[in-house]
Amino acid sequence: MGIELELHSGRPARKGASRTTLLRGSYQHGEALARALSRLDRHGSGKLAWVDPYGDTLFNEQEAQVAGEEAATLAKGCDDEQQRAALVDLAELLEACAATPGSYLWVMGD
């Protein structure tokens, strides 16, 4: 199980056409990111709790702003180096999404 991240300039298409909107991706922290996010209460009020480790989750720029703050807070409190690196990367991509009008962060679980 792992999670990959892609920042897109617009809503990504499910099939190969999504490459035309791809701005940046993160593929190296898959398993560590999945472990870090698995600690969240799925019934909680946070935006990161939306992430489905077995499916896809999209954050628009407004949702990314809130989720980015959550990811940064989780990273500060994380004592596992791999998970912290994954959360920092997630927080940076969420911040970039929040700062890019019309963008989406595609969180792809498998």
Side-chain angles (χ1 to χ4, degrees), residues 2-102:
I3 296 176
E4 296 179 337
L5 306 169
E6 289 185 350
L7 177 61
H8 289 264
S9 60
R11 188 174 184 92
R14 296 282 180 211
K15 300 296 179 203
S18 68
R19 295 290 163 219
T20 61
T21 60
L22 181 64
L23 297 173
R24 187 167 133 203
S26 174
Y27 312 103
Q28 70 272 22
H29 300 292
E31 290 182 31
L33 183 56
R35 285 192 314 271
L37 295 178
S38 71
R39 300 179 303 159
L40 297 175
D41 177 6
R42 299 285 173 232
H43 304 289
S45 61
K47 299 285 185 201
L48 286 181
W50 292 0
V51 174
D52 178 1
Y54 302 104
D56 295 343
T57 308
L58 282 176
F59 288 100
N60 65 27
E61 61 193 275
Q62 294 82 17
E63 296 160 344
Q65 183 172 5
V66 175
E69 294 167 8
E70 294 173 15
T73 300
L74 279 175
K76 288 178 186 171
C78 188
D79 57 359
D80 179 289
E81 277 301 315
Q82 290 180 328
Q83 290 181 27
R84 182 177 350 184
L87 289 166
V88 166
D89 199 29
L90 173 61
E92 289 172 356
L93 282 168
L94 286 164
E95 183 179 319
C97 181
T100 308

